[in-house]
């Protein structure tokens, strides 16, 4: 109980916890980078992992100093790739513009697939005038 009465002991616990969590984040970043790197041989990856297990602090520092630039480039490349994939996915599932919807409805009308009333309903829906389309129907 005497431990928690001293302010310096509490500060020491907070600083120690911060350093430990920061080290874990760095360690997981290094392990992720090891598996992401396609240029590094499997034996080198295994050696880095063994060294991270047995001499973790020094190996982490050496890895960050020796391979930090490549680590940043691989992380940036992965982030850009993920962003591009998300943008491509959004483009594929996004709705067409109102002008595209009206052009499709006009093509159906010109082909005789729909009549003039149905064309007006589709045009109103494309323009966001669903209330007017329901009234005309």
């Amino acid at each position: 109980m005497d431990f928690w009465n001293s302010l310096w002991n509490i500060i020491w616990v907070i600083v120690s916890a911060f350093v430990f969590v920061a080290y874990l984040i760095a360690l997981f970043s290094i392990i992720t980078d090891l598996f992401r790197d396609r240029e590094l041989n499997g034996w080198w990856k295994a050696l880095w992992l063994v060294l991270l297990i047995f001499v973790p602090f020094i190996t982490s520092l050496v890895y960050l100093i020796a391979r930090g630039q490549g680590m940043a480039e691989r992380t940036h490349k992965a982030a850009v790739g993920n962003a591009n994939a998300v943008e491509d996915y959004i483009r594929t599932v996004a709705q067409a513009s109102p002008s595209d919807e009206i052009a499709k409805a006009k093509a159906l009308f010109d082909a005789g697939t729909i009549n003039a009333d149905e064309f007006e309903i589709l045009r109103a829906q494309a323009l966001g005038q669903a209330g007017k389309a329901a009234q005309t129907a």
Side-chain angles (χ1 to χ4, degrees), residues 13 15 36 47 51 54 63 85 91 95 119:
V13 167
V15 169
R36 183 181 292 152
L47 178 65
L51 290 173
F54 291 113
Y63 188 89
R91 280 190 202 101
Q95 284 186 340
F119 172 73

Side-chain angles (χ1 to χ4, degrees), residues 13-28:
V13 167
I14 292 171
V15 169
S16 299
F18 175 79
V19 169
F20 180 70
V21 170
Y23 171 71
L24 285 179
I25 291 171
L27 185 67
F28 288 128

